[in-house]
Amino acid sequence: MNDEQVAIWNFLTANADGRNNAIHISDVANSLGFPPNGTNNDDVRRLITDMVMNRNRPIGSCSDGVFLFTNEEEREEAARFVERRTKAGVIRTINFYNPN
């Protein structure tokens, strides 16, 4: 992991252990001094995604933010949330139906 990811990881282990302690990405970004980028700090989101996908870090997301999943139930909740969000993201990129 790079230095930014190590800082994020350390912040999450200190503050977001388990679903009940989920923290918004914007709060992570603000606490670590990341400059604003996008509506929910796209830089931090990208770094966390890389940590999950390529570094096998147990970071889940939910409507309350991100958290370290600590058991099977939390891991499955995080997986279901991403499945739902992925479908919504695809739908939002599709052009409107125009019968003309």
Coordinates of all heavy atoms in Angstrom, one line a residue:
M1 N 0.8 -1.2 0.0 CA 0.0 0.0 0.0 C 0.9 1.2 0.0 O 2.0 1.2 0.6 CB -0.9 0.0 1.2 CG -2.0 -1.1 1.3 SD -3.2 -0.8 2.6 CE -2.3 -0.9 4.1
N2 N 0.4 2.3 -0.6 CA 1.1 3.5 -0.6 C 0.9 4.3 0.7 O 0.1 3.9 1.6 CB 0.8 4.4 -1.8 CG -0.6 4.9 -1.8 OD1 -1.2 5.2 -0.8 ND2 -1.2 5.1 -3.0
D3 N 1.6 5.4 0.9 CA 1.5 6.1 2.2 C 0.0 6.6 2.5 O -0.4 6.6 3.6 CB 2.4 7.3 2.2 CG 3.9 6.9 2.2 OD1 4.2 5.8 2.6 OD2 4.7 7.8 1.9
E4 N -0.7 7.0 1.4 CA -2.0 7.5 1.6 C -2.9 6.4 2.1 O -3.8 6.5 3.0 CB -2.6 8.1 0.4 CG -1.9 9.4 -0.1 CD -2.3 9.8 -1.5 OE1 -2.5 9.0 -2.3 OE2 -2.5 11.0 -1.6
Q5 N -2.7 5.2 1.5 CA -3.5 4.0 1.9 C -3.2 3.6 3.3 O -4.1 3.2 4.1 CB -3.3 2.9 0.9 CG -4.0 3.2 -0.4 CD -3.6 2.2 -1.5 OE1 -2.5 1.8 -1.6 NE2 -4.6 1.8 -2.3
V6 N -1.9 3.6 3.7 CA -1.6 3.3 5.1 C -2.2 4.2 6.0 O -2.8 3.8 7.1 CB 0.0 3.3 5.2 CG1 0.4 3.2 6.7 CG2 0.6 2.2 4.4
A7 N -2.3 5.5 5.7 CA -3.0 6.5 6.6 C -4.4 6.2 6.7 O -5.0 6.2 7.8 CB -2.7 7.9 6.1
I8 N -5.1 5.8 5.6 CA -6.5 5.5 5.6 C -6.7 4.2 6.4 O -7.6 4.2 7.2 CB -7.0 5.3 4.1 CG1 -7.0 6.6 3.4 CG2 -8.4 4.7 4.2 CD1 -7.3 6.5 1.9
W9 N -5.9 3.2 6.2 CA -6.0 2.0 6.9 C -5.9 2.2 8.4 O -6.7 1.7 9.2 CB -5.0 1.0 6.5 CG -5.0 -0.3 7.2 CD1 -4.1 -0.8 8.2 CD2 -6.0 -1.3 7.2 NE1 -4.5 -2.0 8.7 CE2 -5.7 -2.3 8.1 CE3 -7.2 -1.4 6.4 CZ2 -6.5 -3.5 8.3 CZ3 -8.0 -2.6 6.6 CH2 -7.6 -3.6 7.5
N10 N -4.9 3.0 8.8 CA -4.7 3.3 10.3 C -5.9 4.0 10.8 O -6.3 3.8 12.0 CB -3.4 4.1 10.5 CG -2.2 3.2 10.2 OD1 -2.2 2.0 10.2 ND2 -1.0 3.9 10.0
F11 N -6.4 5.0 10.1 CA -7.6 5.7 10.5 C -8.8 4.8 10.7 O -9.5 4.9 11.7 CB -7.9 6.8 9.5 CG -9.1 7.7 9.9 CD1 -8.9 8.7 10.8 CD2 -10.4 7.4 9.5 CE1 -9.9 9.5 11.3 CE2 -11.4 8.2 9.9 CZ -11.2 9.3 10.8
L12 N -9.0 3.9 9.7 CA -10.1 3.0 9.8 C -10.0 2.0 11.0 O -11.0 1.7 11.7 CB -10.3 2.2 8.5 CG -10.7 3.1 7.3 CD1 -10.8 2.2 6.0 CD2 -12.1 3.8 7.5
T13 N -8.8 1.5 11.2 CA -8.6 0.5 12.3 C -8.8 1.2 13.6 O -9.3 0.6 14.6 CB -7.2 -0.1 12.3 OG1 -6.2 0.8 12.3 CG2 -7.1 -1.0 11.0
A14 N -8.6 2.5 13.7 CA -8.8 3.3 15.0 C -10.2 3.7 15.1 O -10.7 4.0 16.3 CB -7.9 4.5 15.0
N15 N -11.0 3.9 14.0 CA -12.3 4.5 14.1 C -13.5 3.8 13.5 O -14.6 4.1 13.8 CB -12.2 5.9 13.4 CG -11.3 6.8 14.1 OD1 -11.5 7.3 15.2 ND2 -10.1 7.0 13.5
A16 N -13.3 2.8 12.7 CA -14.4 2.2 11.9 C -14.4 0.6 12.0 O -14.6 -0.1 11.1 CB -14.3 2.6 10.5
D17 N -14.2 0.1 13.2 CA -14.1 -1.3 13.5 C -15.5 -1.8 13.6 O -16.2 -1.6 14.6 CB -13.3 -1.6 14.7 CG -13.1 -3.0 15.0 OD1 -13.3 -3.9 14.1 OD2 -12.8 -3.4 16.2
G18 N -16.1 -2.5 12.5 CA -17.4 -3.0 12.6 C -18.4 -2.1 12.0 O -18.2 -0.9 11.9
R19 N -19.5 -2.7 11.5 CA -20.6 -1.9 10.8 C -21.2 -0.8 11.7 O -21.5 0.3 11.2 CB -21.7 -2.9 10.5 CG -23.0 -2.3 10.0 CD -22.9 -1.5 8.7 NE -24.1 -1.1 8.2 CZ -24.7 0.1 8.6 NH1 -24.1 0.9 9.4 NH2 -25.9 0.4 8.0
N20 N -21.3 -1.0 13.0 CA -21.8 0.0 13.8 C -21.0 1.3 14.0 O -21.4 2.3 14.5 CB -22.1 -0.5 15.2 CG -23.3 -1.5 15.2 OD1 -24.1 -1.5 14.3 ND2 -23.2 -2.4 16.1
N21 N -19.7 1.2 13.5 CA -18.8 2.3 13.6 C -18.5 2.8 12.2 O -17.4 3.5 12.0 CB -17.5 1.9 14.3 CG -17.8 1.6 15.7 OD1 -18.4 2.3 16.4 ND2 -17.3 0.4 16.2
A22 N -19.3 2.6 11.2 CA -19.1 3.1 9.8 C -18.9 4.6 9.9 O -19.5 5.3 10.6 CB -20.2 2.7 8.9
I23 N -18.0 5.0 9.0 CA -17.7 6.5 8.9 C -17.7 6.9 7.5 O -17.3 6.2 6.6 CB -16.3 6.7 9.6 CG1 -16.0 8.2 9.7 CG2 -15.2 6.0 8.9 CD1 -14.9 8.5 10.7
H24 N -18.3 8.1 7.2 CA -18.4 8.6 5.9 C -17.0 8.9 5.3 O -16.1 9.3 6.0 CB -19.2 9.9 5.9 CG -20.7 9.7 6.2 ND1 -21.6 9.1 5.2 CD2 -21.4 9.8 7.3 CE1 -22.8 9.0 5.8 NE2 -22.7 9.4 7.1
I25 N -16.9 8.6 4.0 CA -15.6 8.8 3.3 C -15.2 10.3 3.4 O -14.0 10.6 3.6 CB -15.7 8.3 1.9 CG1 -15.7 6.8 1.9 CG2 -14.5 8.8 1.1 CD1 -15.8 6.2 0.5
S26 N -16.2 11.2 3.3 CA -15.8 12.6 3.5 C -15.2 12.9 4.8 O -14.3 13.7 4.9 CB -17.0 13.5 3.2 OG -18.0 13.2 4.1
D27 N -15.6 12.2 5.9 CA -15.0 12.4 7.2 C -13.6 11.8 7.3 O -12.7 12.4 7.9 CB -15.9 11.7 8.3 CG -17.2 12.4 8.5 OD1 -17.3 13.6 8.2 OD2 -18.2 11.8 8.9
V28 N -13.4 10.7 6.6 CA -12.1 10.1 6.5 C -11.2 11.1 5.8 O -10.1 11.4 6.3 CB -12.1 8.8 5.7 CG1 -10.7 8.2 5.5 CG2 -12.9 7.7 6.5
A29 N -11.6 11.6 4.7 CA -10.8 12.6 3.9 C -10.5 13.8 4.7 O -9.3 14.3 4.7 CB -11.6 12.9 2.6
N30 N -11.5 14.4 5.3 CA -11.3 15.6 6.1 C -10.3 15.4 7.3 O -9.4 16.2 7.5 CB -12.6 16.2 6.7 CG -13.5 16.7 5.6 OD1 -13.0 17.1 4.5 ND2 -14.8 16.7 5.8
S31 N -10.4 14.2 7.9 CA -9.6 13.9 9.1 C -8.1 13.7 8.7 O -7.2 14.1 9.4 CB -10.1 12.7 9.8 OG -11.3 12.9 10.4
L32 N -7.9 13.2 7.4 CA -6.6 13.0 7.0 C -6.0 14.1 6.1 O -4.9 14.0 5.6 CB -6.5 11.6 6.2 CG -6.9 10.4 7.1 CD1 -6.9 9.1 6.2 CD2 -5.9 10.2 8.2
G33 N -6.8 15.1 5.9 CA -6.3 16.3 5.1 C -6.3 16.1 3.6 O -5.5 16.8 2.9
F34 N -7.1 15.2 3.1 CA -7.2 15.1 1.6 C -8.0 16.3 1.1 O -9.0 16.7 1.7 CB -8.0 13.8 1.3 CG -7.2 12.6 1.3 CD1 -7.1 11.9 2.5 CD2 -6.5 12.1 0.2 CE1 -6.3 10.7 2.6 CE2 -5.7 10.9 0.3 CZ -5.7 10.2 1.5
P35 N -7.5 16.9 0.0 CA -8.3 18.0 -0.6 C -9.6 17.5 -1.1 O -9.7 16.3 -1.6 CB -7.4 18.5 -1.7 CG -6.5 17.4 -2.0 CD -6.3 16.6 -0.7
P36 N -10.7 18.3 -1.1 CA -11.9 17.9 -1.7 C -11.8 17.5 -3.2 O -11.0 18.1 -3.9 CB -12.8 19.2 -1.6 CG -12.1 20.0 -0.6 CD -10.7 19.7 -0.6
N37 N -12.5 16.5 -3.6 CA -12.5 16.1 -4.9 C -13.8 15.3 -5.2 O -13.9 14.1 -4.8 CB -11.3 15.2 -5.3 CG -11.3 14.7 -6.7 OD1 -12.0 15.3 -7.6 ND2 -10.6 13.7 -7.0
G38 N -14.8 15.9 -5.9 CA -16.0 15.2 -6.1 C -17.0 15.4 -4.9 O -16.6 16.0 -3.9
T39 N -18.1 14.8 -5.0 CA -19.1 14.9 -4.0 C -18.8 14.1 -2.7 O -19.2 14.4 -1.6 CB -20.5 14.5 -4.5 OG1 -20.4 13.1 -5.0 CG2 -21.0 15.4 -5.5
N40 N -18.0 13.0 -2.8 CA -17.7 12.2 -1.7 C -16.3 11.8 -1.7 O -15.9 10.7 -1.4 CB -18.6 11.0 -1.7 CG -18.8 10.4 -0.3 OD1 -18.2 10.8 0.7 ND2 -19.5 9.3 -0.2
N41 N -15.4 12.7 -2.0 CA -14.0 12.5 -2.1 C -13.6 11.3 -3.0 O -13.3 10.2 -2.4 CB -13.2 12.6 -0.8 CG -11.8 13.0 -1.0 OD1 -11.1 12.3 -1.8 ND2 -11.4 14.1 -0.5
D42 N -13.6 11.5 -4.3 CA -13.3 10.4 -5.2 C -11.9 9.9 -5.0 O -11.7 8.7 -5.3 CB -13.5 10.9 -6.6 CG -14.9 11.3 -6.9 OD1 -15.8 10.8 -6.2 OD2 -15.2 12.1 -7.9
D43 N -10.9 10.7 -4.6 CA -9.6 10.2 -4.4 C -9.6 9.1 -3.3 O -9.0 8.0 -3.4 CB -8.6 11.3 -4.0 CG -8.4 12.3 -5.2 OD1 -8.5 11.8 -6.3 OD2 -8.2 13.4 -4.9
V44 N -10.2 9.4 -2.2 CA -10.2 8.5 -1.0 C -11.0 7.2 -1.4 O -10.6 6.1 -1.1 CB -10.8 9.1 0.2 CG1 -11.0 8.1 1.4 CG2 -9.9 10.3 0.7
R45 N -12.1 7.4 -2.1 CA -12.9 6.3 -2.6 C -12.1 5.4 -3.5 O -12.1 4.2 -3.3 CB -14.2 6.8 -3.3 CG -15.1 5.7 -3.7 CD -16.4 6.2 -4.3 NE -17.2 7.0 -3.3 CZ -17.9 6.5 -2.3 NH1 -17.9 5.2 -2.2 NH2 -18.6 7.2 -1.5
R46 N -11.3 6.0 -4.4 CA -10.5 5.2 -5.3 C -9.4 4.4 -4.5 O -9.2 3.2 -4.8 CB -9.9 6.1 -6.3 CG -8.9 5.5 -7.3 CD -8.2 6.5 -8.2 NE -7.7 7.6 -7.6 CZ -6.5 7.6 -6.9 NH1 -5.8 6.5 -6.8 NH2 -6.1 8.8 -6.3
L47 N -8.8 5.1 -3.6 CA -7.8 4.4 -2.8 C -8.4 3.3 -2.0 O -7.7 2.2 -1.9 CB -7.1 5.4 -1.8 CG -6.2 6.5 -2.5 CD1 -5.9 7.6 -1.6 CD2 -4.9 5.8 -3.0
I48 N -9.5 3.4 -1.4 CA -10.2 2.4 -0.6 C -10.6 1.2 -1.6 O -10.4 0.0 -1.2 CB -11.4 2.9 0.2 CG1 -10.9 3.8 1.3 CG2 -12.3 1.8 0.7 CD1 -12.0 4.5 2.1
T49 N -11.1 1.5 -2.7 CA -11.4 0.5 -3.7 C -10.2 -0.4 -4.0 O -10.3 -1.6 -4.1 CB -12.1 1.1 -5.0 OG1 -13.3 1.8 -4.6 CG2 -12.4 0.0 -6.0
D50 N -9.1 0.3 -4.3 CA -7.8 -0.4 -4.6 C -7.4 -1.3 -3.4 O -7.0 -2.4 -3.5 CB -6.7 0.5 -4.9 CG -5.4 -0.2 -5.2 OD1 -5.3 -0.9 -6.2 OD2 -4.5 -0.1 -4.3
M51 N -7.6 -0.8 -2.2 CA -7.3 -1.6 -1.0 C -8.1 -2.8 -0.9 O -7.6 -3.9 -0.4 CB -7.5 -0.7 0.3 CG -6.4 0.4 0.4 SD -6.9 1.7 1.6 CE -6.7 0.8 3.1
V52 N -9.4 -2.8 -1.3 CA -10.2 -3.9 -1.2 C -9.9 -4.9 -2.4 O -9.7 -6.1 -2.1 CB -11.7 -3.5 -1.3 CG1 -12.6 -4.7 -1.4 CG2 -12.1 -2.7 -0.1
M53 N -9.8 -4.3 -3.6 CA -9.7 -5.2 -4.8 C -8.3 -5.8 -4.9 O -8.1 -6.9 -5.4 CB -10.1 -4.4 -6.0 CG -11.5 -3.8 -6.0 SD -12.7 -5.1 -5.9 CE -12.5 -5.9 -7.5
N54 N -7.3 -5.0 -4.6 CA -5.9 -5.5 -4.8 C -5.1 -5.7 -3.6 O -4.0 -6.3 -3.7 CB -5.2 -4.4 -5.7 CG -5.9 -4.2 -7.0 OD1 -6.3 -5.1 -7.7 ND2 -6.2 -2.9 -7.3
R55 N -5.5 -5.3 -2.4 CA -4.7 -5.5 -1.2 C -5.5 -6.4 -0.2 O -5.0 -6.6 0.9 CB -4.4 -4.2 -0.6 CG -3.9 -3.1 -1.5 CD -2.4 -3.2 -1.8 NE -2.0 -2.1 -2.6 CZ -1.6 -2.2 -3.9 NH1 -1.6 -3.4 -4.5 NH2 -1.2 -1.2 -4.6
N56 N -6.7 -6.9 -0.6 CA -7.5 -7.8 0.3 C -7.7 -7.2 1.7 O -7.7 -8.0 2.6 CB -6.8 -9.1 0.3 CG -6.7 -9.8 -1.0 OD1 -7.7 -9.8 -1.7 ND2 -5.6 -10.4 -1.3
R57 N -8.0 -6.0 1.8 CA -8.3 -5.4 3.0 C -9.8 -5.5 3.3 O -10.6 -5.3 2.4 CB -8.0 -3.9 3.1 CG -6.5 -3.6 3.0 CD -5.7 -4.2 4.1 NE -4.3 -4.2 3.9 CZ -3.4 -4.2 4.9 NH1 -3.8 -4.4 6.2 NH2 -2.1 -4.2 4.6
P58 N -10.2 -5.9 4.5 CA -11.7 -6.1 4.8 C -12.4 -4.9 5.1 O -12.9 -4.6 6.2 CB -11.6 -7.0 6.1 CG -10.3 -6.5 6.8 CD -9.4 -6.2 5.6
I59 N -12.6 -4.1 4.0 CA -13.3 -2.8 4.1 C -14.6 -2.9 3.4 O -14.7 -3.2 2.2 CB -12.5 -1.6 3.5 CG1 -11.1 -1.6 4.2 CG2 -13.2 -0.3 3.7 CD1 -10.1 -0.6 3.5
G60 N -15.7 -2.7 4.1 CA -17.0 -2.7 3.5 C -17.6 -1.3 3.4 O -17.1 -0.4 4.1
S61 N -18.7 -1.2 2.7 CA -19.4 0.1 2.6 C -20.9 -0.2 2.8 O -21.4 -1.3 2.6 CB -19.1 0.8 1.3 OG -19.5 0.0 0.2
C62 N -21.5 0.9 3.3 CA -22.9 0.8 3.6 C -23.5 2.3 3.5 O -22.7 3.2 3.2 CB -23.2 0.3 5.0 SG -22.5 1.3 6.3
S63 N -24.7 2.5 3.7 CA -25.3 3.8 3.6 C -24.7 4.8 4.6 O -24.7 6.0 4.4 CB -26.8 3.8 3.8 OG -27.1 3.2 5.1
D64 N -24.0 4.3 5.7 CA -23.4 5.1 6.7 C -22.0 5.4 6.4 O -21.3 6.1 7.2 CB -23.6 4.5 8.1 CG -25.0 4.5 8.5 OD1 -25.8 5.4 8.2 OD2 -25.4 3.5 9.1
G65 N -21.4 4.8 5.4 CA -20.0 5.0 5.1 C -19.2 3.7 4.9 O -19.7 2.8 4.3
V66 N -18.0 3.7 5.3 CA -17.1 2.6 5.2 C -16.8 2.1 6.6 O -16.8 2.8 7.6 CB -15.8 2.9 4.4 CG1 -16.1 3.2 3.0 CG2 -15.0 4.0 5.1
F67 N -16.4 0.8 6.7 CA -16.1 0.1 8.0 C -15.3 -1.1 7.7 O -15.2 -1.6 6.6 CB -17.4 -0.2 8.7 CG -18.3 -1.2 8.0 CD1 -18.2 -2.6 8.3 CD2 -19.1 -0.8 7.0 CE1 -19.0 -3.5 7.6 CE2 -19.9 -1.8 6.3 CZ -19.8 -3.1 6.6
L68 N -14.6 -1.6 8.7 CA -13.9 -2.8 8.6 C -14.8 -3.9 9.1 O -15.3 -3.9 10.2 CB -12.7 -2.8 9.6 CG -11.7 -1.7 9.3 CD1 -10.5 -1.8 10.3 CD2 -11.1 -1.7 7.9
F69 N -15.1 -4.9 8.1 CA -16.0 -5.9 8.5 C -15.3 -6.9 9.4 O -14.2 -7.3 9.1 CB -16.8 -6.5 7.3 CG -16.0 -7.0 6.2 CD1 -15.3 -8.2 6.2 CD2 -15.9 -6.2 5.0 CE1 -14.6 -8.7 5.1 CE2 -15.1 -6.7 3.9 CZ -14.5 -7.9 4.0
T70 N -16.0 -7.3 10.4 CA -15.4 -8.2 11.5 C -16.0 -9.6 11.6 O -15.6 -10.4 12.4 CB -15.5 -7.5 12.8 OG1 -16.9 -7.3 13.2 CG2 -14.8 -6.1 12.8
N71 N -17.0 -9.8 10.8 CA -17.7 -11.2 10.8 C -18.4 -11.4 9.5 O -18.5 -10.5 8.6 CB -18.6 -11.3 12.0 CG -19.7 -10.2 12.0 OD1 -20.4 -10.0 11.0 ND2 -19.9 -9.6 13.1
E72 N -18.9 -12.6 9.3 CA -19.5 -13.0 8.0 C -20.8 -12.1 7.7 O -21.0 -11.7 6.6 CB -19.9 -14.5 8.1 CG -20.6 -15.0 6.9 CD -19.7 -15.1 5.7 OE1 -18.5 -15.1 5.8 OE2 -20.2 -15.0 4.5
E73 N -21.5 -11.8 8.8 CA -22.7 -11.0 8.5 C -22.4 -9.6 8.0 O -23.0 -9.2 7.0 CB -23.5 -10.9 9.9 CG -24.8 -10.1 9.7 CD -25.5 -10.0 11.1 OE1 -25.6 -11.0 11.8 OE2 -25.9 -8.9 11.4
E74 N -21.4 -9.0 8.5 CA -21.0 -7.7 8.1 C -20.4 -7.8 6.6 O -20.7 -6.9 5.8 CB -20.0 -7.0 9.0 CG -20.6 -6.6 10.3 CD -19.5 -6.1 11.3 OE1 -18.3 -6.3 11.1 OE2 -19.9 -5.5 12.3
R75 N -19.6 -8.8 6.4 CA -19.1 -9.0 5.0 C -20.2 -9.1 4.0 O -20.2 -8.5 3.0 CB -18.1 -10.2 5.0 CG -17.5 -10.3 3.6 CD -16.4 -11.4 3.6 NE -17.0 -12.7 4.0 CZ -16.3 -13.8 4.2 NH1 -15.0 -13.7 4.1 NH2 -16.8 -14.9 4.5
E76 N -21.2 -9.9 4.3 CA -22.3 -10.2 3.4 C -23.1 -8.9 3.2 O -23.6 -8.6 2.1 CB -23.2 -11.3 3.8 CG -22.5 -12.7 3.6 CD -22.2 -12.8 2.1 OE1 -23.0 -12.6 1.2 OE2 -21.0 -13.2 1.8
E77 N -23.3 -8.1 4.3 CA -24.0 -6.9 4.2 C -23.3 -5.9 3.2 O -23.9 -5.3 2.4 CB -24.2 -6.2 5.5 CG -24.9 -4.9 5.4 CD -25.1 -4.2 6.8 OE1 -24.7 -4.8 7.8 OE2 -25.5 -3.0 6.8
A78 N -22.0 -5.9 3.4 CA -21.2 -5.0 2.5 C -21.2 -5.5 1.1 O -21.4 -4.6 0.1 CB -19.7 -5.0 3.0
A79 N -21.2 -6.8 0.8 CA -21.3 -7.3 -0.5 C -22.7 -7.0 -1.2 O -22.7 -6.6 -2.3 CB -21.1 -8.8 -0.5
R80 N -23.7 -7.2 -0.4 CA -25.1 -6.8 -0.9 C -25.2 -5.4 -1.3 O -25.8 -5.0 -2.3 CB -26.2 -7.3 0.1 CG -26.4 -8.8 0.1 CD -27.6 -9.1 0.9 NE -27.6 -8.6 2.3 CZ -27.0 -9.2 3.3 NH1 -26.5 -10.4 3.1 NH2 -27.0 -8.7 4.5
F81 N -24.6 -4.5 -0.4 CA -24.7 -3.1 -0.7 C -24.0 -2.7 -2.0 O -24.5 -1.9 -2.8 CB -24.0 -2.3 0.5 CG -24.1 -0.8 0.3 CD1 -25.3 -0.1 0.6 CD2 -23.0 -0.1 0.0 CE1 -25.3 1.3 0.4 CE2 -23.0 1.3 -0.2 CZ -24.2 2.0 0.1
V82 N -22.9 -3.3 -2.2 CA -22.1 -3.0 -3.5 C -22.9 -3.6 -4.7 O -23.0 -2.9 -5.7 CB -20.7 -3.6 -3.4 CG1 -20.0 -3.5 -4.8 CG2 -19.9 -2.9 -2.4
E83 N -23.5 -4.7 -4.5 CA -24.3 -5.3 -5.7 C -25.4 -4.3 -6.0 O -25.7 -4.0 -7.2 CB -24.9 -6.6 -5.3 CG -23.9 -7.7 -5.3 CD -24.5 -9.0 -4.8 OE1 -25.6 -9.0 -4.1 OE2 -23.8 -10.1 -5.0
R84 N -26.1 -3.8 -5.0 CA -27.2 -2.9 -5.3 C -26.7 -1.6 -5.9 O -27.3 -1.0 -6.8 CB -28.0 -2.6 -4.0 CG -28.8 -3.8 -3.5 CD -29.7 -3.3 -2.4 NE -29.0 -2.8 -1.2 CZ -28.6 -3.5 -0.2 NH1 -28.8 -4.8 -0.1 NH2 -28.0 -2.9 0.8
R85 N -25.6 -1.1 -5.3 CA -25.1 0.2 -5.8 C -24.5 0.0 -7.3 O -24.7 1.0 -8.0 CB -23.9 0.7 -4.9 CG -24.4 0.9 -3.5 CD -25.1 2.2 -3.4 NE -24.1 3.3 -3.6 CZ -24.4 4.5 -3.5 NH1 -25.5 4.9 -3.0 NH2 -23.5 5.4 -3.8
T86 N -24.0 -1.1 -7.6 CA -23.5 -1.3 -8.9 C -24.6 -1.2 -9.9 O -24.5 -0.6 -11.0 CB -22.7 -2.7 -9.0 OG1 -21.7 -2.6 -8.1 CG2 -22.2 -2.9 -10.4
K87 N -25.7 -1.9 -9.7 CA -26.8 -1.8 -10.6 C -27.4 -0.4 -10.7 O -27.7 0.0 -11.8 CB -28.0 -2.7 -10.1 CG -27.6 -4.2 -10.2 CD -28.8 -5.0 -9.6 CE -28.4 -6.5 -9.6 NZ -29.4 -7.3 -8.9
A88 N -27.5 0.3 -9.6 CA -27.9 1.7 -9.7 C -27.0 2.6 -10.5 O -27.4 3.4 -11.3 CB -28.1 2.3 -8.3
G89 N -25.7 2.4 -10.4 CA -24.7 3.1 -11.1 C -24.9 2.9 -12.6 O -24.8 3.8 -13.4
V90 N -25.1 1.6 -13.0 CA -25.3 1.3 -14.4 C -26.5 2.0 -15.0 O -26.5 2.6 -16.0 CB -25.3 -0.2 -14.6 CG1 -25.8 -0.6 -16.0 CG2 -24.0 -0.8 -14.3
I91 N -27.6 1.9 -14.2 CA -28.9 2.5 -14.7 C -28.7 4.0 -14.9 O -29.2 4.5 -15.8 CB -30.0 2.2 -13.7 CG1 -30.3 0.7 -13.7 CG2 -31.2 3.0 -13.9 CD1 -31.2 0.2 -12.6
R92 N -28.0 4.6 -14.0 CA -27.8 6.1 -14.1 C -27.0 6.5 -15.3 O -27.1 7.6 -15.8 CB -27.2 6.6 -12.8 CG -28.1 6.6 -11.7 CD -27.6 7.3 -10.5 NE -28.6 7.3 -9.4 CZ -28.5 6.5 -8.4 NH1 -27.6 5.6 -8.2 NH2 -29.5 6.5 -7.5
T93 N -26.2 5.6 -15.9 CA -25.4 5.9 -17.1 C -26.2 5.7 -18.4 O -25.7 6.1 -19.5 CB -24.1 5.1 -17.1 OG1 -24.4 3.7 -17.3 CG2 -23.3 5.4 -15.9
I94 N -27.3 5.0 -18.4 CA -28.1 4.7 -19.6 C -28.9 5.9 -20.0 O -29.6 6.6 -19.2 CB -29.0 3.5 -19.3 CG1 -28.2 2.3 -19.0 CG2 -29.9 3.2 -20.5 CD1 -29.0 1.1 -18.5
N95 N -28.9 6.2 -21.3 CA -29.7 7.3 -21.8 C -31.2 7.0 -21.7 O -31.7 5.8 -21.7 CB -29.4 7.5 -23.3 CG -28.0 8.2 -23.4 OD1 -27.6 8.9 -22.6 ND2 -27.4 7.9 -24.5
F96 N -32.0 8.1 -21.7 CA -33.5 7.9 -21.6 C -34.1 7.3 -22.9 O -33.6 7.4 -24.0 CB -34.1 9.3 -21.4 CG -33.7 10.0 -20.1 CD1 -32.9 11.0 -20.1 CD2 -34.2 9.5 -18.9 CE1 -32.5 11.6 -18.9 CE2 -33.9 10.1 -17.7 CZ -33.0 11.2 -17.7
Y97 N -35.2 6.6 -22.7 CA -35.9 6.0 -23.8 C -36.6 7.2 -24.5 O -37.2 8.1 -24.0 CB -37.0 5.0 -23.3 CG -37.9 4.6 -24.4 CD1 -37.5 3.7 -25.4 CD2 -39.2 5.1 -24.4 CE1 -38.4 3.3 -26.3 CE2 -40.1 4.7 -25.4 CZ -39.7 3.8 -26.4 OH -40.5 3.4 -27.3
N98 N -36.4 7.2 -25.9 CA -37.0 8.2 -26.7 C -37.7 7.5 -27.9 O -37.0 7.0 -28.8 CB -36.0 9.2 -27.2 CG -36.6 10.3 -28.0 OD1 -37.7 10.3 -28.3 ND2 -35.7 11.3 -28.3
P99 N -39.0 7.4 -27.9 CA -39.7 6.6 -28.9 C -39.7 7.3 -30.3 O -40.1 6.7 -31.3 CB -41.2 6.6 -28.4 CG -41.3 7.8 -27.5 CD -39.9 8.0 -26.9
N100 N -39.2 8.5 -30.4 CA -39.2 9.2 -31.7 C -38.0 8.9 -32.5 O -37.0 8.8 -32.4 CB -39.3 10.7 -31.5 CG -40.6 11.1 -30.8 OD1 -41.6 10.5 -31.0 ND2 -40.6 12.1 -30.0

